[in-house]
Amino acid sequence: MHPPPPAAAMDFSQNSLFGYMEDLQELTIIERPVRRSLKTPEEIERLTVDEDLSDIERAVYLLSAGQDVQGTSVIANLPFLMRQNPTETLRRVLPKVREALHVAGVEMQLTAAMSFLTILQDESVSIHAYTHSFLQVILLHLEHRDTGVSNAWLETLLSVIEVLPKETLRHEILNPLVSKAQLSQTVQSRLVSCKILGKLTNKFDAHTIKREILPLVKSLCQDVEYEVRSCMCRQLENIAQGIGTELTKSVVLPELIELSRDEGSSVRLAAFETLVNLLDIFDTGIFTPDQHLRFLEFYKKLCTLGLQQENGHNENQIPPQILEQEKKYISVRKNCAYNFPAMIVFVDPKNFHMELYSTFFCLCHDPEVPVRYTIAICFYEVSKLLNSGVYLIHKELITLLQDESLEVLDALIDHLPEILELMSTGGESSVQENKLSSLPDLIPALTAAEQRAAASLKWRTHEKLLQKYACLPHVISSDQIYYRFLQRMFTIMMTNNVLPVQKAASRTLCIFLRYNRKQEQRHEVIQKLIEQLGQGKSYWNRLRFLDTCEFIIEIFSKSFFCKYFFLPAIELTHDPVANVRMKLCYLLPKVKSTLKIPADKHLLQQLEMCVRKLLCQEKDKDVLAIVKRTVLELDRMEMSMDAFQKKFYEKDLLDQEKEREELLLLEMEQLEKEKQQNDGRPMSDKMFEKKRRDTKTPTQSLPKNIPISVPGPSSVTPSTSKEIKKSKLIRSQSFNNQAFHAKYGNLEKCASKSSTTGYTTSVSGLGKTSVLSLADDSFRTRNASSVPSSFSPNTPLPSTSRGTGNSVDPKSSGSKDTQPRKATLKSRKSNP
């Protein structure tokens, strides 16, 4: 029992009491509609209908003697009655509907308009029958006093006009419009006439339109009410399409020009929008050279409108009317920036430098952010239009990348990969050895943009920018990325406090690593990832290492992950922080998916041992629950084999393609070294891309019965392709010569020793735990204190190459000299 609140907590002041009384009154108000909604026995009796009546008889009865809600229900059900029994519905129900609509409320009127339209769309009756039965009802209620009801009936009529024959349109609709469009009629009647005229134009020939419709159009364009003039102005587009170009020039265009000078702003806006929409009707080639020049010069003036009046005065000293005028000028320049791509088409991209470059320069350097933001959005469209002339706007790209406003940068980077691709391939020279020869300031601009985004509070812009930087391997050289961007990604991963930003940096770093063309640099990055993240003192860094492992699995081949990251990843099963172990458990199914049997049998044993130890030794209940679920998922997983398997066909082909490209990097590096020895020039990126395309095997061209050969001694069917043999040779020379890291080599020995003392496993998955007989320290490795804080490229990396998969013999590796090793992470304290 909780003690009662103290007396001091009770507030008996006058204000509080009035507050309580108001709350009670509100409760009373809420309850009133509930009481009123209850029906008396007499009301229930009136609402009850004989169940033996047919649908038609029930509809007639409810429309005659029922309440409004029942009549509305019958009208809503009218399309169903028409489909079921059209003859009886037209003969008995529709007359009752007409009578009810004379005194109907808004809800019934709206329901009737919708039902009449549905009947037309369902084609339940012929057009002749529909015209005879429904058209007059629609016309009768067009001028209903409620605007919503009037518009609903008008929409139904406009749909009916589409299907009515010309004679019916002339007699039933066009002829009455002559009187309905007169000034003596109501404004609502004249507004309805405008919209009907716009719809009728497409139904008659040009002669009839000129003789009978255009006089009414002119009259309504000169109406005394601005609402009518505006409404008729917006229908001139439909009328122009119906009468053709010649009549539009002689009749419609003069009216539009006059309306564009109207005193009403809504009329002028309607005239301007209609003129813009009619540009497609006119042949723009009718511009004479003088008109073309005048139009272009006028656009240029609009792009700099208001800039000539800059005087450096304080805004507080400027009169309000001047400030309002400057806002309008900014809006004009912003709209000019938005339409700049269209102006390139107008002048022809070949004339861009002479006609529009200076204007583009002004827009990119405009003092107002909205203008620069808009031109940044359009930058990609401008680049595409210029095509081979894109080099003309290199400097403007640098300007926008260095813009002080992050909004401008955010708008530009949406299409930054496409822009940089155009910049690198669309210049005057088609040679790609010197991709930045014409744009030397790109890298400083990109790095400065990232630093500005990092220093701001707009982390989403920073995240987006890091994601877009993944395109850089296709634009600049591998060395430039390594020295100017890759180290920065490390810094962000280890120091930034925003998780999405860290993940974006991690993924981009993995892509940089994927396309790095120097083995020495790749090894340095891999070792840095393992030591500074996977073995980092902060548990936060170790979590980011697992994120990186997930990206590695996605981007690289399975053999690459198994060679360098498999053991460092599963070592975190001994991490002292529960969150790290938990995250690893979620990752284990993906880790297992990188293995191939029988080449990776020894790695599978390592994985199973780690999971079994978690099951036996895990003390955190949340982690243990996830481990149990993970074990079930791992058991259900099917292992990929070295030999061809039809169900893994697409995944194996994709993985094979990744592995071939990784081997190609090694081959290109070797060829580049040989070329440098011969003539001192490095291999171009263009030659590398050509070599990569030449060695790529198209997925669709591979026959289904060809096994996928994976480098390693356990491959089931050796490939006869010279290319594969060469790749194997390169792989054996570059990867397999790397010495095992000491602790991971001993790790495998410990695993082998444990297998001689009672460890039993199942290759296909995680076996039963009842056959385990493991020493507690059989999988623990030496303390990491011996690992140097700074490393050199010559330091050997942890390696679990499939080529050495059978080198660890469980029977012969259980030497007495092999002592149990302490786990690396057990002695490490967690620094959040």
Side-chain angles (χ1 to χ4, degrees):
M1 295 292 291
H2 295 285
M10 303 294 291
D11 188 358
F12 294 102
S13 63
Q14 186 174 2
N15 293 336
S16 298
L17 290 177
F18 279 125
Y20 299 148
M21 293 174 63
E22 291 176 358
D23 293 341
L24 292 174
Q25 289 176 355
E26 290 179 0
L27 290 175
T28 306
I29 294 173
I30 293 173
E31 290 180 357
R32 285 176 185 170
V34 178
R35 296 196 189 99
R36 291 176 180 173
S37 64
L38 298 176
K39 302 296 182 184
T40 63
E42 293 79 9
E43 291 174 331
I44 295 175
E45 180 66 25
R46 287 198 300 270
L47 293 172
T48 304
V49 181
D50 189 358
E51 295 181 357
D52 296 332
L53 295 177
S54 66
D55 291 341
I56 299 295
E57 292 172 342
R58 186 184 297 108
V60 172
Y61 172 78
L62 292 176
L63 287 171
S64 302
Q67 297 189 2
D68 287 346
V69 64
Q70 293 174 313
T72 302
S73 177
V74 170
I75 293 176
N77 199 41
L78 198 59
F80 172 77
L81 296 176
M82 287 295 298
R83 289 191 295 269
Q84 188 182 49
N85 194 342
T87 304
E88 285 300 305
T89 302
L90 292 177
R91 187 177 69 85
R92 299 182 59 188
V93 180
L94 193 59
K96 294 295 182 181
V97 172
R98 293 196 196 101
E99 294 176 6
L101 288 177
H102 282 297
V103 293
V106 172
E107 185 177 357
M108 185 180 290
Q109 289 276 355
L110 294 174
T111 304
M114 182 61 66
S115 294
F116 281 24
L117 179 59
T118 304
I119 293 170
L120 174 70
Q121 294 170 343
D122 289 347
E123 299 180 356
S124 304
V125 293
S126 65
I127 297 300
H128 176 75
Y130 189 92
T131 303
H132 177 74
S133 303
F134 295 93
L135 183 58
Q136 291 303 321
V137 181
I138 297 172
L139 293 173
L140 180 64
H141 296 90
L142 273 178
E143 300 178 26
H144 194 278
R145 60 182 178 275
D146 186 274
T147 305
V149 172
S150 176
N151 290 335
W153 285 112
L154 177 60
E155 290 300 320
T156 302
L157 177 62
L158 296 179
S159 298
V160 173
I161 289 175
E162 290 287 345
V163 298
L164 290 180
K166 288 184 180 181
E167 288 303 316
T168 304
L169 290 173
R170 182 188 297 275
H171 291 96
E172 300 293 340
I173 298 178
L174 181 57
N175 291 342
L177 275 183
V178 176
S179 61
K180 295 292 184 181
Q182 300 301 317
L183 286 174
S184 58
Q185 299 294 323
T186 62
V187 173
Q188 180 66 20
S189 176
R190 304 203 298 275
L191 290 172
V192 168
S193 300
C194 292
K195 295 179 180 179
I196 294 176
L197 284 172
K199 198 71 173 181
L200 285 175
T201 308
N202 295 327
K203 305 298 293 186
F204 293 99
D205 57 86
H207 178 71
T208 304
I209 295 172
K210 184 178 181 179
R211 189 182 74 249
E212 300 185 23
I213 294 181
L214 288 183
L216 296 176
V217 170
K218 289 183 177 181
S219 174
L220 291 169
C221 284
Q222 299 171 5
D223 196 278
V224 294
E225 298 293 339
Y226 74 91
E227 299 103 318
V228 179
R229 298 196 302 273
S230 176
C231 182
M232 191 67 253
C233 183
R234 295 190 180 277
Q235 299 301 319
L236 290 180
E237 179 183 353
N238 295 330
I239 294 171
Q241 292 174 350
I243 63 178
T245 305
E246 295 303 322
L247 274 178
T248 299
K249 291 179 181 178
S250 60
V251 179
V252 175
L253 200 54
E255 294 294 335
L256 275 174
I257 293 174
E258 185 175 349
L259 290 170
S260 65
R261 302 167 182 161
D262 196 277
E263 60 184 8
S265 60
S266 62
V267 180
R268 296 197 303 271
L269 178 61
F272 178 77
E273 292 178 352
T274 303
L275 276 169
V276 172
N277 294 335
L278 287 178
L279 288 178
D280 291 338
I281 295 179
F282 302 116
D283 181 7
T284 53
I286 64 175
F287 273 18
T288 65
D290 182 58
Q291 291 172 333
H292 186 282
L293 181 61
R294 282 186 353 204
F295 184 82
L296 179 60
E297 291 301 321
F298 183 67
Y299 172 79
K300 291 180 180 180
K301 290 180 180 178
L302 290 179
C303 289
T304 58
L305 187 64
L307 297 181
Q308 299 84 355
Q309 301 177 7
E310 295 286 338
N311 49 20
H313 291 171
N314 190 348
E315 288 190 4
N316 297 328
Q317 301 175 355
I318 302 177
Q321 59 271 22
I322 301 298
L323 287 175
E324 189 64 28
Q325 188 179 36
E326 287 185 357
K327 290 181 180 178
K328 292 181 180 179
Y329 290 159
I330 295 171
S331 178
V332 170
R333 301 200 304 273
K334 176 183 174 181
N335 290 329
C336 287
Y338 180 81
N339 287 282
F340 191 84
M343 291 304 298
I344 295 180
V345 177
F346 179 73
V347 302
D348 195 305
K350 294 183 295 185
N351 301 322
F352 170 80
H353 188 260
M354 295 295 296
E355 302 286 359
L356 284 175
Y357 174 74
S358 59
T359 302
F360 186 69
F361 177 89
C362 291
L363 292 173
C364 291
H365 291 81
D366 195 279
E368 300 297 331
V369 171
V371 181
R372 303 196 307 274
Y373 172 84
T374 306
I375 201 64
I377 291 177
C378 300
F379 199 95
Y380 174 52
E381 292 296 325
V382 173
S383 301
K384 285 197 301 184
L385 289 170
L386 293 180
N387 197 7
S388 61
V390 71
Y391 67 93
L392 294 170
I393 57 173
H394 282 176
K395 293 181 180 179
E396 283 62 45
L397 173 63
I398 302 301
T399 298
L400 294 177
L401 281 172
Q402 295 174 337
D403 197 282
E404 60 183 10
S405 171
L406 281 181
E407 294 179 7
V408 176
L409 177 63
D410 189 86
L412 181 67
I413 62 179
D414 282 335
H415 292 284
L416 185 62
E418 296 88 347
I419 294 172
L420 293 180
E421 186 71 19
L422 288 170
M423 292 286 182
S424 65
T425 61
E428 285 183 321
S429 175
S430 61
V431 180
Q432 296 187 8
E433 282 88 352
N434 301 317
K435 292 184 177 181
L436 295 178
S437 59
S438 59
L439 195 56
D441 297 331
L442 175 62
I443 292 179
L446 289 173
T447 55
E450 187 276 322
Q451 290 171 0
R452 286 201 318 279
S456 71
L457 297 178
K458 297 183 178 180
W459 63 264
R460 287 182 176 85
T461 300
H462 193 198
E463 177 194 15
K464 187 199 299 187
L465 185 61
L466 294 175
Q467 291 170 347
K468 300 299 182 181
Y469 278 4
C471 74
L472 292 181
H474 304 290
V475 180
I476 60 179
S477 69
S478 175
D479 281 341
Q480 288 169 324
I481 292 175
Y482 178 78
Y483 291 110
R484 299 302 299 271
F485 294 96
L486 200 144
Q487 303 301 325
R488 176 61 180 165
M489 297 301 112
F490 262 116
T491 303
I492 294 172
M493 290 171 62
M494 300 193 66
T495 62
N496 197 282
N497 295 323
V498 182
L499 180 58
V501 172
Q502 286 183 314
K503 286 188 174 183
S506 175
R507 192 178 194 283
T508 301
L509 183 144
C510 291
I511 293 175
F512 289 168
L513 178 62
R514 173 73 172 81
Y515 292 100
N516 188 284
R517 292 174 53 189
K518 290 188 177 180
Q519 187 177 4
E520 182 179 340
Q521 294 177 356
R522 289 197 299 273
H523 283 182
E524 182 180 351
V525 173
I526 292 170
Q527 189 163 354
K528 207 168 184 179
L529 284 171
I530 294 172
E531 292 187 355
Q532 297 189 16
L533 292 181
Q535 300 170 3
K537 293 182 179 180
S538 170
Y539 86 100
W540 190 256
N541 289 343
R542 302 196 295 276
L543 288 174
R544 299 294 72 77
F545 176 73
L546 293 176
D547 289 332
T548 305
C549 287
E550 191 169 1
F551 294 136
I552 292 288
I553 294 173
E554 172 194 348
I555 296 169
F556 288 81
S557 66
K558 295 178 180 180
S559 62
F560 183 91
F561 176 82
C562 290
K563 181 177 179 64
Y564 295 112
F565 291 93
F566 186 92
L567 290 179
I570 65 173
E571 182 187 358
L572 292 179
T573 54
H574 303 284
D575 196 278
V577 179
N579 283 356
V580 178
R581 302 194 302 275
M582 187 181 300
K583 188 174 183 67
L584 175 62
C585 290
Y586 285 120
L587 185 62
L588 286 179
K590 291 185 177 181
V591 171
K592 185 179 179 183
S593 69
T594 63
L595 301 178
K596 288 189 176 183
I597 299 301
D600 296 325
K601 180 179 178 180
H602 62 294
L603 295 181
L604 179 61
Q605 292 174 349
Q606 305 277 13
L607 174 63
E608 290 176 342
M609 184 182 298
C610 291
V611 176
R612 289 168 188 248
K613 282 204 168 186
L614 279 175
L615 280 173
C616 298
Q617 300 177 4
E618 182 58 55
K619 296 180 180 179
D620 188 284
K621 61 179 182 180
D622 296 326
V623 178
L624 184 59
I626 296 172
V627 171
K628 292 178 179 178
R629 291 201 301 267
T630 303
V631 168
L632 295 176
E633 184 176 353
L634 292 174
D635 280 338
R636 289 193 295 266
M637 288 181 62
E638 296 187 37
M639 295 294 297
S640 178
M641 309 294 290
D642 278 345
F644 169 74
Q645 287 180 286
K646 187 175 181 180
K647 54 187 162 186
F648 298 121
Y649 181 73
E650 293 183 2
K651 292 182 179 179
D652 286 347
L653 283 180
L654 180 59
D655 183 67
Q656 186 183 43
E657 185 61 36
K658 290 179 181 178
E659 189 165 351
R660 284 181 176 175
E661 291 189 4
E662 290 162 7
L663 297 176
L664 179 61
L665 286 171
L666 301 176
E667 182 181 350
M668 292 296 102
E669 182 179 4
Q670 183 64 30
L671 293 176
E672 187 170 347
K673 289 179 180 178
E674 294 176 0
K675 186 175 182 62
Q676 286 178 343
Q677 292 176 358
N678 294 333
D679 55 11
R681 291 191 308 170
M683 176 177 289
S684 67
D685 289 344
K686 185 177 182 181
M687 293 175 61
F688 169 73
E689 289 295 327
K690 183 178 185 301
K691 182 71 176 175
R692 186 180 68 84
R693 289 194 298 269
D694 292 343
T695 58
K696 184 181 291 187
T697 302
T699 300
Q700 287 133 356
S701 64
L702 290 177
K704 293 186 177 181
N705 57 353
I706 295 181
I708 298 175
S709 178
V710 179
S714 302
S715 298
V716 175
T717 306
S719 173
T720 59
S721 170
K722 294 183 179 179
E723 179 184 336
I724 299 299
K725 289 182 178 179
K726 186 175 181 181
S727 298
K728 288 185 178 182
L729 178 60
I730 296 171
R731 181 183 179 87
S732 64
Q733 292 174 348
S734 58
F735 281 170
N736 295 345
N737 286 341
Q738 297 296 321
F740 273 25
H741 195 286
K743 65 178 181 180
Y744 293 109
N746 292 327
L747 186 67
E748 293 185 8
K749 294 180 181 179
C750 293
S752 301
K753 179 179 178 180
S754 65
S755 65
T756 65
T757 59
Y759 172 67
T760 305
T761 183
S762 171
V763 173
S764 61
L766 294 172
K768 297 181 180 179
T769 58
S770 60
V771 298
L772 285 175
S773 175
L774 294 170
D776 290 342
D777 295 332
S778 62
F779 188 66
R780 297 183 182 178
T781 58
R782 180 171 297 178
N783 193 293
S785 60
S786 60
V787 179
S789 58
S790 61
F791 55 89
S792 66
N794 297 324
T795 307
L797 289 171
S799 175
T800 57
S801 173
R802 287 179 177 146
T804 59
N806 295 335
S807 62
V808 181
D809 188 355
K811 296 181 180 179
S812 62
S813 61
S815 172
K816 295 181 181 179
D817 296 334
T818 305
Q819 300 295 329
R821 313 279 173 113
K822 296 290 184 180
T824 303
L825 298 176
K826 283 292 185 179
S827 61
R828 180 173 56 239
K829 293 184 179 180
S830 171
N831 297 327

